[in-house]
Amino acid sequence: MARINDNFLKLKAGYLFPEIGRRVAAYTEANPDAALIRCGIGDVTEALPKAVQDAMHKAVDELGDRDTFRGYGPEQGYAFLREAVAENAFADLGISADDIFVSDGSKCDTGNILDIFGPGNTIAITDPVYPVYVDTNVMIGNTGEADEAGRYEGLVYLPCTAENDFVPAIPEEKVDIVYLCYPNNPTGASATREQLQAWVDYALKNDAIILYDAAYEAFIQDADVPRSIYEIEGAKECALEFRSFSKNGGFTGVRCGYIVIPDSVFGTTESGEKISIKQLWSRRTSTKFNGASYPVQRGAEAIFSPEGKAEVAALVEHYMANAKLLRDACTELGLEVFGGENAPYVWVACPEGLTSWDMFDKMLQEANVVITPGSGFGAAGEGYFRISAFNSRANVEEVCKRLKALL
Ligand code: MLT
């Protein structure tokens, strides 16, 4: 009989969002008339920017004509998109088109990157955390079993709490790989230049690599909050950055993202030879991937056109105004509220005496609003819930009303 990868059996019950989906499905089956509002998974709700639609239509027309038809594209992404990214998202940061690797999204990228790292690395993740970082390390065999609190043996957990403004303290011990996500999912916190500089300094001192997830960069409102890890001195020697078109351009269903890998980031072989991370990722990509689709990459390129930029700015403004309404409603109710100022997630302390899942059930059953329980993101998320600001204005206003009626 074929042997399976036993590591999969270490995974805790289910991935968070399918688990929420199951509970919601059971509730709606029993209550088919409930007018449910979903503020759980951070999925965009507004239409694709017109500039993106037009570019994708045009690309499909090109594919429909023998003279302009294209087959396989470059595995690392078309030059037109890589150049647009380098020029627009990383202007003056010393990142070139050649450092950009286009993909079908950041979720896949943050998981797939582990292909090029060997066993035996000490891996640090924040707690709470986007569950993909943890589960993909479990799957690949970088952890032992989970304990009662759901923490896996072998991972270094970096608590993110209200006391440290949800930015982890620099660890005493040496780690080899650390995942950081700012603006943060799930807490909605942002990291200051000084905090990120401390992490880059730590990485350089310890020969560590920072896997920096900047999927929510577009939502930063404060001019002094860094949008990219490469704004930090030394980051080009120790950090990879993950970016996505999902949340800014509304691509959660379209699928497109990219990883930035500068030439100057290295790993080591068992015998101590320095190897370029970019070279390995490029090799891995050529073998395992045939690139994001042509119409999708043309759509992503259009995000950087003047029309596309204006439309994305309007989308961001829409979602951030939602976040403000949610923040204000929770604050008025006397709840302790975090995030929602530079990120589309509002992170709220549960009312006295309720666990995260208690609050999830209460909101589902009594207010017909789906939120995400903080404990689903890690042990340190217990006692919190996350509200996603990705919704229509009308739905967000209704959620605020229902919250007030409920509490
Ligand atoms: C979330 O709700 O945490 C995100 O939507 C998940 C994701 O982007 O994959």
Side-chain angles (χ1 to χ4, degrees):
M1 207 180 282
R3 269 296 302 271
I4 56 124
N5 175 353
D6 292 5
N7 294 312
F8 276 70
L9 305 183
K10 295 177 195 162
L11 289 167
K12 286 172 286 166
Y15 184 62
L16 173 62
F17 293 106
E19 172 59 27
I20 290 174
R22 266 192 297 279
R23 291 194 186 209
V24 172
Y27 181 77
T28 44
E29 203 181 319
N31 303 274
D33 297 331
L36 218 61
I37 302 180
R38 293 167 198 271
C39 297
I41 191 161
D43 194 2
V44 292
T45 54
E46 304 310 293
L48 280 180
K50 179 79 169 48
V52 170
Q53 296 177 40
D54 290 347
M56 289 176 73
H57 281 302
K58 183 163 171 274
V60 171
D61 289 343
E62 279 176 48
L63 297 183
D65 181 336
R66 200 174 189 291
D67 291 340
T68 47
F69 175 78
R70 300 185 187 223
Y72 291 125
E75 293 91 349
Q76 288 76 9
Y78 281 101
F80 62 75
L81 180 55
R82 301 173 87 190
E83 280 160 15
V85 167
E87 276 163 31
N88 290 280
F90 297 96
D92 305 325
L93 294 181
I95 297 296
S96 68
D98 185 52
D99 301 332
I100 314 290
F101 293 82
V102 178
S103 72
D104 57 351
S106 273
K107 182 183 191 170
C108 321
D109 282 343
T110 55
N112 289 337
I113 196 72
L114 291 176
D115 269 8
I116 63 164
F117 293 107
N121 285 311
T122 304
I123 291 163
I125 55 140
T126 61
D127 179 10
V129 73
Y130 179 41
V132 173
Y133 315 152
V134 177
D135 284 7
T136 53
N137 272 288
V138 175
M139 289 173 181
I140 209 160
N142 284 341
T143 75
E145 300 289 340
D147 68 13
E148 299 254 295
R151 290 191 150 139
Y152 290 94
E153 189 197 335
L155 289 181
V156 174
Y157 287 87
L158 308 169
C160 290
T161 60
E163 287 68 45
N164 62 19
D165 293 327
F166 304 100
V167 179
I170 304 293
E172 305 270 313
E173 72 241 79
K174 179 177 157 36
V175 306
D176 302 301
I177 294 174
V178 55
Y179 292 78
L180 295 176
C181 170
Y182 289 98
N184 186 252
N185 181 14
T187 64
S190 54
T192 65
R193 203 165 294 279
E194 293 69 33
Q195 286 165 327
L196 292 180
Q197 187 68 63
W199 272 103
V200 167
D201 293 346
Y202 168 86
L204 293 173
K205 192 164 143 223
N206 291 281
D207 282 332
I209 288 182
I210 297 175
L211 300 179
Y212 193 73
D213 186 345
Y216 298 93
E217 157 278 331
F219 298 89
I220 293 174
Q221 306 292 306
D222 296 351
D224 50 355
V225 170
R227 289 173 170 264
S228 164
I229 192 72
Y230 302 116
E231 290 178 37
I232 309 301
E233 203 184 323
K236 280 210 288 294
E237 277 67 53
C238 63
L240 314 190
E241 183 162 308
F242 299 86
R243 288 265 188 122
S244 167
F245 296 106
S246 285
K247 316 287 161 128
N248 59 347
F251 272 44
T252 52
V254 175
R255 308 305 307 150
C256 196
Y258 56 93
I259 316 185
V260 186
I261 313 184
D263 285 319
S264 39
V265 184
F266 291 90
T268 176
T269 63
E270 205 178 346
S271 60
E273 189 191 346
K274 270 174 78 175
I275 304 284
S276 149
I277 292 296
K278 180 178 186 169
Q279 202 182 310
L280 292 188
W281 183 251
S282 187
R283 183 68 183 79
R284 184 257 175 221
T285 302
S286 300
T287 297
K288 289 201 177 181
F289 192 50
N290 261 328
S293 86
Y294 176 67
V296 163
Q297 292 193 61
R298 280 294 185 198
E301 180 194 24
I303 283 180
F304 299 110
S305 67
E307 302 76 27
K309 281 180 184 169
E311 288 177 278
V312 166
L315 284 172
V316 167
E317 200 183 311
H318 166 81
Y319 292 128
M320 290 309 288
N322 285 350
K324 181 167 186 330
L325 288 174
L326 293 165
R327 267 189 69 91
D328 290 350
C330 292
T331 307
E332 269 175 49
L333 288 166
L335 298 172
E336 210 181 348
V337 183
F338 305 92
E341 290 178 315
N342 288 297
Y345 295 125
V346 180
W347 184 249
V348 190
C350 296
E352 190 82 29
L354 295 183
T355 66
S356 297
W357 278 107
D358 289 343
M359 188 62 188
F360 173 87
D361 289 334
K362 188 176 173 67
M363 290 282 282
L364 177 62
Q365 289 159 20
E366 297 172 34
N368 290 173
V369 174
V370 182
I371 44 114
T372 311
S375 57
F377 297 103
E382 181 55 271
Y384 291 91
F385 63 101
R386 190 192 77 173
I387 317 179
S388 162
F390 291 114
N391 224 314
S392 66
R393 183 59 41 78
N395 272 354
V396 166
E397 284 168 353
E398 178 63 21
V399 168
C400 293
K401 258 197 230 150
R402 291 189 196 176
L403 266 168
K404 285 178 191 166
L406 180 74
L407 301 174

